[in-house]
Amino acid sequence: MSEQTPVKEAPANPPTELEKRFPGAVKRDERPGFEGHIVEVAKLHEVAAAIRDEMGYDFLSSVTAVDYYSEAPEGENFIEVVYHLYKSTGGGALVYRVQVPRDNAVVPSLVDLYPGADFQEREAWDLYGVKFEGHPDLRRILLWEGFAGHPMRKDWKEPYFEEDVKPFKNRWPEGQVYRIEDRNPVGKNVSYPQGFDPDGFQETDDPRMYESLERSSQDFIEQIDTEQVVVNLGPQHPSTHGVFRMAVRMHGETIVGLKPVMGYLHRNHEQIGERNTWTMNMPFTDRLDYLSSMSNNFGYALAVEKLIGEKAAPPERAEYIRVIMAELTRISNHLWAIGFLLNDLGAFFTPALYAIEERELILDIFEATAGSRMMCNYFRFGGVARDLPEGILPKIKDLVTDRLPRKVEELDLYLSANELVRSRGEGVGVITPEDAIAFSAAGPVLRASGVPYDVRRADPYSIYDRFKFDVTVRQHGDVYDRYMIRIDEIYQSLSILRQALKDIPEGEIMNGKNPYQVRVPAGESYGRVEGPKGELGFYIVSTGKANPHRYHVRAPSFINLTILEKMCVGQKIADVVVNLGSIDIVLGEVDR
């Protein structure tokens, strides 16, 4: 009788590639509902470099912070910085995070590895007080430099603070309604930091910004001794597409440095989102990119449904309706972007009005379906708010099979070969594929630089894997290609719509009832869609209560601006507005 060799049982959770590569410095996040790894702060830069160079995660999608704060003596108290990365060749996310004390929140900057972290780290500094060591320009980005405190921290209270979360008790359930501003009127609603005298206030925003502008211009070598000039475009300027400012340093007419200045419309969207209930946030997302509310709803619904699980899986008909609304939104957005880019190029409003006419027909569909042309508030967790009204499907079919293809062909015919469009667009504002990935550019801006990355294909969601469509790319990365890619994408959206309209089934449009409140299990999730302007992501953290503990928006308009300076340096001042227009931003989403 032979002795049997005991078989060793495989560990339940074998170490991951990252844990093997950095033993002791990286550990798995084992909190229920969380994924990814926790990285030792001192090793963050080394680990991030290995993740990029050895594992191929070259696209830094999202950087944000979460405040875990408790007033209880034994409660958790730390700030967490969360990173979401992807491979530009496609696939799912790699998530890692670092945890630092709230009173000493210092984290190494990753801007030298991922330039796309620049604005996102500044935002985390501004709103959470996380100091990123080594950041080349760590200034506030949405608030003014003299602002006291960091308003996304859980112990920060605004002047009209009522309660931590809604619904406020004075509205419901007691119903004895009053408004806090009536009890705390203007003039008595602000408490200044100790030692602060508003009458003696000295502005520090602009001097620091101009110092940064001067530093970024130092690489420019002057051939003759001339004086450089700084010009401010905006914030109130018709060509800045909203309340947006660009401080431009020029040598003659050549740009040698540019700093975007934003935040004029900042309303702390994310803090309001953390006060709201999960359901209240659905209409709130409409206000981000207010030209694309259906797409905003889509991204937020996916993030929450991911946490809820099968109970929130939408029925088949609702999935088709969601895709139809998302693709109509893409066409509507691109028509608007093309029309206004022509304005920026000097063809004042004639092409824009032709494009807007077609967009209005799409808004008619939204109004009939959702009851509103722009603030649609149409998606729900587990489906959509209501079914398509009678007679609307034939109208959509007519639009996508007949009218829109003809009209887009006309736009293409009259504009794409136009001498003005070509001479002002070709070779202007060039972004190489390497820079587009490094700066976390997304959507048409990324694909116009030759990178075939589209979330609908790279990391499919909803039912996009059922449809045949091409991820279109252009190869020159200039303004002209960013114009052409939107024409290409309209044709692809029309193709998806024709397939969806052919296959849409009858049936339910909600998984169960549409509840007043939803139960979201504790944990985190990141839901993302390929919005018209690029990857739109929602990172949420739930503690199992009725309100999000964390609600973060990965806004493509905001992150795509990170590369604006690089694409403008060396260009003429007359091209700045065209470069900005070709990115296609909406300030509601930039400033949040």
Side-chain angles (χ1 to χ4, degrees), residues 44 59-66 80-86 96-98 107-111 114-125 128 130 132 135 270 440 526 535 539 550 552-555 558-559 592:
L44 174 64
F59 186 79
L60 176 64
S61 167
S62 169
V63 182
T64 190
V66 186
E80 188 170 87
V81 180
V82 187
Y83 303 83
H84 284 81
L85 295 102
Y86 295 88
Y96 61 86
R97 63 199 83 226
V98 292
V107 174
S109 170
L110 299 186
V111 171
Y114 296 99
D118 185 350
F119 285 10
Q120 300 186 72
E121 287 186 352
R122 283 179 63 190
E123 184 184 356
W125 157 245
Y128 280 91
V130 179
F132 290 91
H135 191 290
E270 295 183 6
S440 304
Y526 182 66
E535 178 185 333
Y539 175 69
R550 182 73 180 106
H552 171 64
V553 184
R554 191 260 184 219
F558 175 69
I559 297 175
R592 286 162 288 139

Side-chain angles (χ1 to χ4, degrees), residues 124-155:
W125 157 245
D126 193 357
L127 303 183
Y128 280 91
V130 179
K131 186 176 181 184
F132 290 91
E133 277 191 328
H135 191 290
D137 188 20
L138 192 62
R139 294 178 289 119
R140 287 186 183 269
I141 192 165
L142 296 173
L143 298 165
W144 51 289
E145 205 61 47
F147 190 87
H150 303 281
M152 285 301 294
R153 289 204 173 199
K154 293 292 183 184
D155 54 348

Side-chain angles (χ1 to χ4, degrees), residues 278-295:
W278 296 100
T279 309
M280 282 177 178
N281 275 340
M282 189 62 79
F284 198 44
T285 65
D286 292 342
R287 275 75 179 168
L288 289 164
D289 172 4
Y290 43 78
L291 301 176
S292 308
S293 67
M294 291 284 195
S295 232

Side-chain angles (χ1 to χ4, degrees), residues 334-571:
H334 285 0
L335 287 169
W336 184 270
I338 290 167
F340 278 85
L341 180 63
L342 266 292
N343 270 13
D344 296 335
L345 287 167
F348 191 66
F349 261 107
T350 301
L353 286 173
Y354 279 97
I356 289 169
E357 184 181 6
E358 303 313 309
R359 175 177 175 268
E360 288 297 312
L361 297 175
I362 295 175
L363 298 194
D364 287 346
I365 306 286
F366 291 165
E367 185 177 10
T369 305
S372 176
R373 301 176 76 78
M374 291 179 72
M375 304 295 118
C376 293
N377 180 24
Y378 181 57
F379 286 41
R380 295 292 181 270
F381 309 129
V384 292
R386 58 190 67 83
D387 205 345
L388 297 171
E390 194 175 339
I392 205 70
L393 273 177
K395 192 171 179 180
I396 301 174
K397 275 181 189 168
D398 181 57
L399 206 54
V400 304
T401 56
D402 181 28
R403 172 144 184 148
L404 281 175
R406 278 192 292 110
K407 293 297 179 180
V408 174
E409 212 168 287
E410 279 179 19
L411 276 177
D412 193 6
L413 176 67
Y414 291 121
L415 299 181
S416 301
N418 181 281
E419 186 179 349
L420 183 147
V421 175
R422 299 199 78 130
S423 62
R424 292 294 310 280
E426 288 178 343
V428 176
V430 174
I431 305 174
T432 66
E434 294 78 15
D435 282 343
I437 295 169
F439 279 81
S440 304
V445 177
L446 181 65
R447 291 186 288 275
S449 293
V451 182
Y453 189 88
D454 184 316
V455 181
R456 294 172 296 176
R457 275 276 186 265
D459 189 15
Y461 55 93
S462 184
I463 54 170
Y464 273 105
D465 54 354
R466 301 180 189 177
F467 301 112
K468 292 180 181 174
F469 67 98
D470 295 328
V471 177
T472 55
V473 291
R474 292 273 165 171
Q475 300 301 330
H476 304 101
D478 54 16
V479 167
Y480 184 74
D481 275 6
R482 288 191 283 279
Y483 154 77
M484 284 302 302
I485 198 79
R486 293 185 172 98
I487 296 269
D488 298 340
E489 291 188 4
I490 289 177
Y491 285 124
Q492 295 304 317
S493 290
L494 288 171
S495 168
I496 294 171
L497 280 164
R498 284 192 289 269
Q499 295 170 62
L501 290 168
K502 177 172 166 285
D503 296 339
I504 183 171
E506 295 294 331
E508 299 295 321
I509 47 93
M510 271 295 294
N511 183 343
K513 291 182 180 177
N514 183 9
Y516 174 72
Q517 279 282 22
V518 292
R519 290 183 182 277
V520 180
E524 64 166 3
S525 84
Y526 182 66
R528 59 176 190 154
V529 295
E530 184 63 43
K533 295 176 174 63
E535 178 185 333
L536 171 67
F538 289 84
Y539 175 69
I540 56 171
V541 176
S542 170
T543 55
K545 295 182 179 174
N547 312 75
H549 178 78
R550 182 73 180 106
Y551 163 83
H552 171 64
V553 184
R554 191 260 184 219
S557 290
F558 175 69
I559 297 175
N560 283 350
L561 280 173
T562 315
I563 202 168
L564 180 64
E565 179 177 32
K566 190 169 181 64
M567 62 196 278
C568 288
V569 168
Q571 307 277 305

